[in-house]
Amino acid sequence: MTRAISVAADAAATQPPVSAAAKRSAFKSIFIVASGNFLEMFDFMVFGYYATYISNAFFPTGSEFASLMLTLMTFGAGFLMRPVGALVLGAYIDRKGRRQGLLLTLGLMALGTLAIAVTPTYAQIGLAAPVIILIGRLIQGLSAGVEVGGVSVYLNEIAPPSANGFYTSWQSASQQAAVVFAALIGLLVSTSLSPATMQAWGWRIPFIIGCVMIPFLFVIRRHMEETEAFLQRKEHPQLGQIMRTIGNNWGVVLQGTLMAVMTTVFFYMITAYTPTFGSKVLSLSAGESLFVTACVGIANFVLLPVMGALSDRIGRKPLLIAATVLGALLAYPLMSWLVAAPSFGRLLAVELLLATIYATYNGAFIVYLTEVIPAHVRTVGFSLAYSLATAIFGGFTPAISTALIGATGDKAIPGAWCAAAAILSLTALLVGGRIQRRKTA
């Protein structure tokens, strides 16, 4: 891996300057491809933000804790489909093209969102309600399994070699814009409607807004052009060839999966879980928790491109090591300080510090992974590594955190979960680097 990145860096140094027209075209492409990525994360975040209302509407039980856990498990179930989407849709994108594949993923995400937005409650149609919600989440997960990888690969392939980190970081930055948008809509809705109205139908408003955006996003993404890197490739492997190549490079995929654990766990901790943690665990108002989430999204939107550009200048590994070490050392102490005297100010401070650690890591990691996956299976390889980490670890972070608090009584225990994720990713980075150096020696 280290050798591959060094070769890429040497090649970048010999590239001629990029013209202003080429830069404008590239930024236009960034906006076009990131628009669909925005919808994918908007829909996922809204489900997490309104977990409490959704639990009452579709998963009524005699226990509030059990209802919430069922909802969070449904939230996490969408991530179980991500590896399937990574393999099937990732192979489709590597064979048919980035543009055609990303149009398909947007259509699937739209279908899942519509199902959640219009499904009647459990009280109205009984058991069919939670079943439809689960199916909607699974369809969303199928799409999301390759959306992140497809967008990341597309941005990497249109980027000037000297700015791969900066360009690729806009995949994550577009997700942060969705986090901010979803949180602001949630804040507006929750402050405008009474709790009873919110429970009755108000929680559906953000999902309906997502449905309204779909036609516009389709129009935008249809203007996306295929990448030159894909068009110049003479051979586009079939699914069987792709699977064999992935099997031959299983070590790279495994290392990528373990390295992705930190970025997925931290992301869902500071975004999807924050509203539930703030209101249910810290007893803060829903408005305060959503405002903090919006601030986190804004901070990440700014920091991610900065860290991506910094990784272009100083390398990926220094940022990856620094972020994982800080995450391992600070996550639990920060959470302990927060729960010792819960307040809006402390929640904001802790979340912003964790967001900085996340942005530092993610800004370098996404481009790092695109650079080490073989080019002809880049989408499926990236998507498989990232989706496995999300399915096993990140997507279930809200549910795991809730369960750990229930089992231990320690409200700060989600910080220990984050620290464990950081240690696992740091180990994968260091061990993988040593194995690679041994192979190339």
Side-chain angles (χ1 to χ4, degrees):
M1 287 190 181
T2 305
R3 184 179 183 183
I5 296 174
S6 298
V7 171
D10 292 340
T14 63
Q15 295 293 319
V18 180
S19 68
K23 288 182 178 180
R24 286 193 297 271
S25 176
F27 277 109
K28 179 182 177 181
S29 297
I30 289 174
F31 173 77
I32 291 173
V33 72
S35 61
N37 201 46
F38 171 95
L39 177 66
E40 179 257 330
M41 187 50 57
F42 175 82
D43 293 331
F44 262 67
M45 288 300 100
V46 166
F47 195 98
Y49 292 167
Y50 292 96
T52 301
Y53 296 109
I54 293 172
S55 67
N56 293 331
F58 299 107
F59 302 95
T61 68
S63 166
E64 182 179 357
F65 174 79
S67 294
L68 181 59
M69 280 300 299
L70 284 172
T71 304
L72 294 178
M73 290 301 290
T74 302
F75 176 77
F79 296 98
L80 296 179
M81 287 298 289
R82 285 195 172 205
V84 178
L87 287 172
V88 177
L89 298 179
Y92 179 84
I93 291 176
D94 280 329
R95 188 172 69 255
K96 296 294 186 179
R98 316 312 188 200
R99 179 184 183 276
Q100 189 170 331
L102 288 174
L103 284 171
L104 175 61
T105 62
L106 182 58
L108 289 173
M109 182 59 63
L111 181 62
T113 301
L114 181 63
I116 296 173
V118 303
T119 298
T121 66
Y122 183 91
Q124 295 170 315
I125 62 172
L127 188 60
V131 171
I132 295 173
I133 294 300
L134 178 60
I135 292 174
R137 286 292 299 163
L138 294 178
I139 293 174
Q140 286 184 327
L142 185 72
S143 169
V146 76
E147 177 74 18
V148 171
V151 171
S152 298
V153 168
Y154 184 91
L155 292 174
N156 178 271
E157 290 183 350
I158 67 170
S162 61
N164 276 340
F166 176 72
Y167 276 60
T168 308
S169 67
W170 285 100
Q171 179 276 128
S172 298
S174 69
Q175 293 184 331
Q176 302 306 316
V179 169
V180 175
F181 187 57
L184 291 178
I185 289 177
L187 183 60
L188 178 62
V189 171
S190 63
T191 54
S192 302
L193 302 177
S194 67
T197 303
M198 280 295 300
Q199 184 59 67
W201 54 267
W203 64 268
R204 295 182 187 270
I205 293 176
F207 288 101
I208 294 172
I209 292 175
C211 292
V212 171
M213 289 191 295
I214 290 169
F216 299 99
L217 295 177
F218 263 112
V219 171
I220 292 173
R221 186 166 272 193
R222 282 178 63 85
H223 288 85
M224 183 173 65
E225 297 178 358
E226 188 56 77
T227 69
E228 284 297 322
F230 182 84
L231 292 174
Q232 292 176 6
R233 196 174 304 141
K234 296 181 179 179
E235 182 181 352
H236 302 296
Q238 299 298 313
L239 179 60
Q241 295 173 286
I242 290 174
M243 294 301 100
R244 286 192 293 272
T245 302
I246 292 296
N248 293 334
N249 291 274
W250 67 267
V252 176
V253 175
L254 177 61
Q255 185 191 2
T257 299
L258 297 178
M259 286 183 62
V261 170
M262 174 169 170
T263 198
T264 60
V265 167
F266 268 69
F267 176 78
Y268 287 100
M269 178 67 70
I270 62 178
T271 56
Y273 186 56
T274 293
T276 300
F277 182 73
S279 59
K280 290 295 182 181
V281 179
L282 303 181
S283 299
L284 301 176
S285 71
E288 288 177 321
S289 299
L290 286 170
F291 182 78
V292 168
T293 305
C295 291
V296 166
I298 293 171
N300 283 332
F301 182 80
V302 174
L303 287 172
L304 281 163
V306 171
M307 294 303 175
L310 183 60
S311 75
D312 288 326
R313 297 182 65 86
I314 69 173
R316 323 298 183 203
K317 189 166 286 189
L319 294 182
L320 295 173
I321 292 175
T324 48
V325 170
L326 288 174
L329 294 177
L330 296 181
Y332 185 74
L334 286 173
M335 282 290 189
S336 298
W337 177 73
L338 170 60
V339 302
S343 68
F344 168 77
R346 287 197 177 200
L347 179 62
L348 179 62
V350 168
E351 293 288 329
L352 288 178
L353 286 171
L354 293 177
T356 301
I357 294 172
Y358 158 79
T360 301
Y361 187 82
N362 188 272
F365 168 71
I366 296 297
V367 65
Y368 180 92
L369 191 56
T370 63
E371 290 171 335
V372 298
I373 299 291
H376 57 294
V377 293
R378 185 169 286 155
T379 302
V380 65
F382 182 106
S383 299
L384 182 60
Y386 199 90
S387 62
L388 283 172
T390 306
I392 299 171
F393 298 94
F396 285 98
T397 286
I400 290 172
S401 298
T402 301
L404 287 174
I405 292 172
T408 66
D410 182 1
K411 296 179 179 179
I413 200 68
W417 174 242
C418 288
I423 292 171
L424 182 59
S425 291
L426 176 61
T427 302
L429 173 65
L430 298 179
V431 172
R434 284 200 294 270
I435 292 175
Q436 183 67 21
R437 286 195 297 273
R438 195 176 300 125
K439 287 182 177 180
T440 57

